[in-house]
Amino acid sequence: MSPFFVLLLLASSLTHGYAQFQPKDQAFISLLITQNGLDFVKDLLVNKAISSIIPLRLRNIEKTVKIPVVGNVHMVLSNITIYQIDVPSSHVKPGETGISIIASGATCNLSMNWYYSYSTWFGPVEISDKGRAEVQVEGMEVGLTLTLENQEGSLKLKLKDCGSSVKDISIKLDGGASWLYQGIVDAFEGLIGSTVENAITKKLKEGISRLDSYLKSLPKEVPVDDHTSLNVTFVDDVLISASSVGFETNGLFIERSVSLPIFNIGHKNSKLPILCTNASKMLGITLDEAVFNSASALYYDAKFMHWIVDQLPDQSLLNTAGWRFIIPQLYKRYPNHEMNLNISLSSPPVVEISNQKAGANIFADLTIDVLEEDKVIPVACISLVIQASGLVKINGNNLVGAVRLDDFAMSLKWSNIGNLRMHLIQPIVWTLIETVFLPYANAHLSKGLPLPIIHGFTLQNADIILSTSSIAVCSDNELCWCSMQFKKDWLVEFSCFGGFGDAPSGYTARGLRHAVAYYFARLGIMKSEAMHGWHVPTPAALFFYSSAR
């Protein structure tokens, strides 16, 4: 949202200009995941873990036991499959040793085949039987402790501890001799329990390894447009307290084509404050005003802040006749000549954020050009200092804004047509700013700054808090994910999970259907209206995130 959370400096290829003076080893975006946010992520991980574990095939178990009167009985359990896991209670707790996740009171349902054989004492005759069994593992405790580290600008997830324990097992046999039931229970109860514990622990370790690989693969650049990216390289250590986990990113605007340098992550700088006052919010993202100033510096150095105005609502202002009574000498020297207005910023806009508002000071030059045949003749230049205030809001996972004109000052910088009466020109310049400059700026600001949020997550119910030199976004999160299971006759059953319950809040059913259809089609899965389901040509597994609306 960002991110899961500011921006100054050009990339290494820009060796001149305003952006080169900005520091490379500091954090300008900080993200804080609160206890509510950790609980949200924990629930997602638990659901993901269950969906990735089941169905789980366990190894066969064999054992020979001595039963009174019967003698030695050879027993085999095969095709042991965990097909259901329920976790009624779980909690997550960050602390000095890491982040602990504990699931308690879990139940685990298994199905299996059983077989036994033994020889009678009165002759070399082997007696055997077989059947099915259902097993329920109850009171299961599963726990793990994770640590997060900054490794060369990426997050490294380490599994510090992992284990599970089984409290009780009940076995129900179908078929066979009932007198043998207690023998199987006595022989296999401990083995089944330890096998389940080992298998789930192994699967959890594999899952953590995949999650670590996913975190490593997170991009260090978030594209903003065709020219720029947001550098979301992590800096400094992960901040873990008793009720939150915090991250800091470099957060600088860079040229999109430039590879990212590895910053000095050992540098210690003052921490960006998290300004969220509502403790129930899941996520806090703080952006320093340097974010916006780095963007202006980047675009300024790349010479994007230059416009030729050749169309106006009042097109007469682009002919010297329209200036006849405002600048008489212009019309006298160039009667009925077409004109252009050349606007260029003389320095990067300076963004200033306070408790009351977000504003910008913009320094620009307005050059009046006369068009004569194939020549462009600059005749005068006016310096402008524009003061604007901004409105900031959240649109999806983007921080978007709009600016309005508060005031401006102007002065004559130079003139080839003599002195200008600035008080007559001022209303026209005001109109130019309101009808040309600000709409152009707002069109770009409406696209927004992408916050460092992992794909699939969406900010919900976001609050924006202004303070001295920074903006904080305090928000809940939502994730739309879907999984599917294969039923009989190649019928596929899929289910979706949202951030605030089983039904994905904020996502339309139509959007989900389109998302499911898209991903199924990529696997060659076709919908059958007659069967009211989905049919697949080959077995496949699918788990996907979707932000389709």
Side-chain angles (χ1 to χ4, degrees):
M1 282 255 62
S2 40
F4 112 26
F5 196 121
V6 158
L7 306 148
L8 221 28
L9 187 63
L10 285 176
S12 56
S13 67
L14 296 178
T15 57
H16 299 287
Y18 289 85
Q20 66 172 323
F21 301 109
Q22 307 302 341
K24 294 183 178 181
D25 53 0
Q26 295 184 17
F28 296 98
I29 297 181
S30 64
L31 302 93
L32 185 75
I33 304 176
T34 65
Q35 183 64 55
N36 283 350
L38 292 173
D39 290 336
F40 173 80
V41 174
K42 175 263 299 177
D43 290 340
L44 296 178
L45 291 177
V46 169
N47 280 277
K48 173 59 179 171
I50 292 174
S51 66
S52 64
I53 288 175
I54 58 175
L56 176 61
R57 182 81 173 266
L58 307 182
R59 63 178 179 84
N60 293 350
I61 302 175
E62 298 186 34
K63 192 172 184 179
T64 300
V65 297
K66 188 172 184 179
I67 297 179
V69 180
V70 176
N72 292 331
V73 179
H74 181 65
M75 302 178 180
V76 179
L77 301 182
S78 62
N79 196 25
I80 308 171
T81 304
I82 299 176
Y83 64 88
Q84 182 177 341
I85 298 176
D86 291 319
V87 180
S89 174
S90 62
H91 66 274
V92 57
K93 183 64 177 176
E96 294 182 358
T97 59
I99 304 169
S100 298
I101 301 176
I102 299 175
S104 56
T107 60
C108 182
N109 295 89
L110 301 85
S111 62
M112 65 184 69
N113 298 329
W114 59 265
Y115 167 85
Y116 73 84
S117 65
Y118 65 92
S119 299
T120 60
W121 59 270
F122 53 82
V125 179
E126 183 179 85
I127 298 175
S128 64
D129 202 354
K130 62 182 179 179
R132 294 278 298 167
E134 294 288 330
V135 178
Q136 185 173 60
V137 177
E138 298 176 335
M140 190 170 183
E141 301 281 338
V142 181
L144 52 87
T145 300
L146 307 170
T147 59
L148 276 169
E149 298 177 0
N150 184 343
Q151 191 173 81
E152 296 184 332
S154 297
L155 289 179
K156 172 67 177 176
L157 182 66
K158 291 184 178 180
L159 181 61
K160 190 173 182 180
D161 188 28
C162 181
S164 61
S165 62
V166 172
K167 181 179 180 181
D168 189 31
I169 292 179
S170 63
I171 302 175
K172 179 183 178 181
L173 297 179
D174 294 325
S178 60
W179 57 267
L180 200 58
Y181 171 78
Q182 192 60 46
I184 291 181
V185 172
D186 294 340
F188 290 105
E189 184 175 19
L191 285 175
I192 293 173
S194 61
T195 301
V196 171
E197 291 170 356
N198 293 336
I200 289 182
T201 300
K202 180 182 177 181
K203 275 290 185 180
L204 287 175
K205 290 180 178 179
E206 293 173 356
I208 296 301
S209 178
R210 289 194 297 270
L211 183 56
D212 175 52
S213 298
Y214 172 73
L215 291 176
K216 288 180 180 177
S217 70
L218 291 177
K220 294 182 179 180
E221 293 184 16
V222 178
V224 177
D225 55 30
D226 293 338
H227 310 285
T228 59
S229 292
L230 184 65
N231 183 350
V232 290
T233 303
F234 289 95
V235 298
D236 295 324
D237 297 328
V238 179
L239 309 173
I240 301 178
S241 72
S243 60
S244 64
V245 177
F247 310 91
E248 293 183 333
T249 67
N250 179 255
L252 310 177
F253 269 101
I254 59 172
E255 219 177 21
R256 189 168 177 181
S257 60
V258 178
S259 60
L260 286 175
I262 298 299
F263 298 120
N264 176 18
I265 60 176
H267 175 78
K268 298 297 180 183
N269 55 282
S270 59
K271 305 300 180 185
L272 289 172
I274 299 295
L275 307 172
C276 299
T277 56
N278 188 344
S280 67
K281 294 296 184 182
M282 297 179 182
L283 177 68
I285 306 174
T286 298
L287 301 91
D288 191 89
E289 66 183 18
V291 145
F292 314 101
N293 287 324
S294 73
S296 67
L298 176 59
Y299 286 110
Y300 178 82
D301 277 6
K303 303 189 184 304
F304 285 115
M305 296 185 177
H306 175 238
W307 304 273
I308 301 293
V309 180
D310 55 11
Q311 288 186 348
L312 287 174
D314 184 359
Q315 197 68 14
S316 65
L317 291 176
L318 292 179
N319 188 287
T320 57
W323 297 74
R324 183 173 183 176
F325 300 106
I326 303 172
I327 311 177
Q329 63 270 37
L330 174 63
Y331 178 73
K332 183 177 181 179
R333 183 176 296 186
Y334 303 102
N336 293 312
H337 279 58
E338 298 297 321
M339 298 169 51
N340 280 337
L341 301 177
N342 189 333
I343 301 176
S344 61
L345 270 61
S346 55
S347 63
V350 178
V351 177
E352 296 179 345
I353 302 173
S354 67
N355 294 331
Q356 289 77 34
K357 68 174 184 177
N361 294 321
I362 304 165
F363 306 90
D365 288 336
L366 171 62
T367 302
I368 301 173
D369 294 332
V370 173
L371 307 181
E372 188 172 57
E373 296 179 351
D374 58 348
K375 293 188 298 183
V376 177
I377 305 172
V379 296
C381 181
I382 300 171
S383 293
L384 304 175
V385 179
I386 302 170
Q387 294 180 341
S389 57
L391 171 67
V392 184
K393 62 181 181 178
I394 294 295
N395 183 11
N397 287 340
N398 284 9
L399 186 68
V400 302
V403 293
R404 65 176 180 268
L405 179 61
D406 289 341
D407 196 6
F408 81 97
M410 52 186 288
S411 59
L412 182 62
K413 190 171 184 178
W414 56 263
S415 173
N416 294 332
I417 53 175
N419 194 31
L420 307 184
R421 290 176 287 182
M422 302 303 292
H423 66 283
L424 296 178
I425 299 174
Q426 186 172 13
I428 296 178
V429 174
W430 182 285
T431 301
L432 286 173
I433 295 173
E434 288 280 13
T435 60
V436 177
F437 181 78
L438 291 185
Y440 180 87
N442 287 333
H444 285 271
L445 292 173
S446 65
K447 298 176 183 178
L449 166 70
L451 296 172
I453 304 294
I454 293 177
H455 177 67
F457 288 86
T458 302
L459 297 178
Q460 294 286 327
N461 306 318
D463 296 330
I464 294 178
I465 300 175
L466 302 180
S467 68
T468 303
S469 301
S470 63
I471 293 177
V473 178
C474 308
S475 176
D476 292 325
N477 285 315
E478 185 177 54
L479 172 66
C480 175
W481 71 349
C482 295
S483 62
M484 73 179 185
Q485 294 182 347
F486 294 90
K487 303 298 183 179
K488 293 181 180 179
D489 300 322
W490 300 110
L491 187 66
V492 178
E493 178 182 277
F494 69 88
S495 58
C496 292
F497 176 83
F500 300 100
D502 294 333
S505 172
Y507 291 86
T508 66
R510 180 183 179 185
L512 286 173
R513 285 197 299 271
H514 280 273
V516 170
Y518 170 76
Y519 284 99
F520 279 17
R522 293 185 63 180
L523 293 177
I525 302 172
M526 305 303 294
K527 187 174 182 181
S528 170
E529 297 293 345
M531 295 293 293
H532 303 289
W534 299 80
H535 288 262
V536 296
T538 56
L542 173 67
F543 176 85
F544 71 90
Y545 293 98
S546 171
S547 58
R549 286 188 179 273

